[in-house]
Amino acid sequence: MWDRLITDCNVATMAGSAENPLGIITNAAIGIDGGKIVRVAKRTELAGFRAREVVALDGAWVTPGLIDCHTHLVFGGNRADEHAMRRAGSSYEEIAAAGGGIISSVSQTRAASEAQLLASAKRRLEALAKSGVTCIEVKSGYGLDTETELKMLRVAKSLDGHAGVKVVPTLLALHALPPDMDRKAYVDMVIRETIPMVANEGLAASVDAYCEGIAFTPAEVEAVFTAAQHHGLPVRLHAEQLSNQKGAALAARYKALSADHLEHLDNDGARAMGEAGTVAVLLPAAFYCLRDEQVPPIDLLRKHKVAMAVATDCNPGTSPTLSLTLAMNMATTLFRLSPEEAIMGTTLHAARALGLAHERGTLAPGKMADLCVWNIEQLSELGYWIGLPSPDRRMVAGRDQ
Ligand code: NIG
Ligand code: FE
């Protein structure tokens, strides 16, 4: 006897095949037991199975719970003033050079207590959960000293499970150069102090860095990646956002889980990612907010069979959004992803970007019963509505949230 049998639905399992990439099963039923999926099949095939509770969905669509695999959800204050400055003509780089940008969030985050950071991040997480998110990656990176980076990661840890959302924390110490330290001293401190402490306390699942003219050089990133791997932590990289630093190829050399942004990616970088199995995380809301005109080379990613994920990049500077379905719409409208690619990008491929494909991102036996129920007629509506829809039900480990 199973815990739950969900019937009368159309399921996009994401455990697909060449002919049916989204693994769509119409007139389906889903068996759930012990918080996990036990069977997904045509309703008629599950007719003989019993469950303590039967939930009929009246023809709704079911997808895996959405996964937001790139966010900076924890931060103090906000940067609405910079939004206004950019509208008046200042660039992101100019604002950063004048001490604004990431450094402004660093001051506000250092000044905030752990309780304040947790309270504001909880509100944002609740909003993202409303758009269907059941798993989220959360980066540090507004501390830029060991104490505050650890404070942010502790907040991310406390967030885990809030609104039913699984939180996957990432150390992003190489996000910007701290105003009060020289480059070499900072990178050395991250290698000798921050990474070992984070690894010992189990505070992060991976290490990220920002490889960019206004941030860190490929050589600095490599030194930090080497230290991360020494401590058993996989890596990921903000790469090729504003210029081509060959960060994607670097990330691939370190078997990075993902390389993110990628507006200025070239053919060699895409090929290296394809060969290494590094996922491309596309962040169209940051592209939109920066009024960027350089679209990531989606055709190159397709050509080299790089898995594409889509995320909000929720952050106070370049992507103040709390809707993953809006990011899906932007990925289709601005980057010309197909609706199918956008849906895979927030389920299966987002799970891969987090190294969690063994437990999430598809609806298949043995996977977590984290799912969204959408009262839509067509699955492609998920990338079609601008900022809508929200799922009508969200289940985590088979339970309604
Ligand atoms: O992913 N690119 C660097 N990091 C963030 C921006 C963070 C900020 O401006 O606060 C991003 O876009
Ligand atoms: Fe980011």
Side-chain angles (χ1 to χ4, degrees), residues 23-47:
I24 289 173
I25 307 175
T26 53
N27 294 319
I30 306 171
I32 296 172
D33 200 47
K36 301 218 164 132
I37 308 281
V38 281
R39 280 287 288 276
V40 191
K42 283 276 184 201
R43 187 182 184 174
T44 45
E45 285 177 40
L46 296 194

Side-chain angles (χ1 to χ4, degrees), residues 74 114 117-118 140 146-160 169 197 201 203-204:
V74 174
E114 227 165 287
L117 292 176
L118 183 61
S140 68
T146 301
E147 187 191 329
T148 318
E149 289 293 303
L150 263 69
K151 175 170 83 173
M152 291 184 72
L153 291 172
R154 279 197 303 271
V155 170
K157 194 172 187 176
S158 310
L159 270 181
D160 187 26
M197 284 179 74
E201 293 184 36
L203 282 173

